[in-house]
Amino acid sequence: MESPCILVCSIDMKTGYCFGCGRTRDEIAGWMTYSSQERREIMAGLPARLETVERKPRRETRRARMARERLAE
């Protein structure tokens, strides 16, 4: 099944879009019930949505944390 998920599941509170894929909570929850055509239509609009997300996710990645800790040493 097609999915834009990149496992960065955090919602921007201002736009309501996921930082990773650009879908809304409702779209994420209902993804399995959509037809292939519906999924493709949503996916076509995701790049434009992601342009509107203004900040990064609150979660720090393991790689970023390790880099920060190395710099602090």
Side-chain angles (χ1 to χ4, degrees):
M1 174 180 292
E2 302 168 284
S3 175
C5 183
I6 60 167
L7 302 177
V8 177
C9 303
S10 184
I11 302 294
D12 176 28
M13 299 311 284
K14 182 175 181 181
T15 63
Y17 300 139
C18 174
F19 287 106
C21 68
R23 294 179 292 172
T24 65
R25 290 177 194 264
D26 289 340
E27 289 168 342
I28 292 167
W31 197 251
M32 299 288 284
T33 65
Y34 294 145
S35 68
S36 293
Q37 179 62 34
E38 288 170 315
R39 287 192 295 271
R40 282 192 292 274
E41 289 172 5
I42 293 168
M43 288 172 64
L46 296 181
R49 289 182 184 182
L50 288 170
E51 292 294 321
T52 68
V53 175
E54 295 182 6
R55 60 183 182 83
K56 301 292 182 201
R58 290 175 288 193
R59 275 191 278 173
E60 182 179 36
T61 64
R62 182 172 181 260
R63 178 178 289 164
R65 187 187 82 245
M66 291 173 67
R68 180 179 47 78
E69 289 172 353
R70 276 195 298 273
L71 290 173
E73 291 176 351

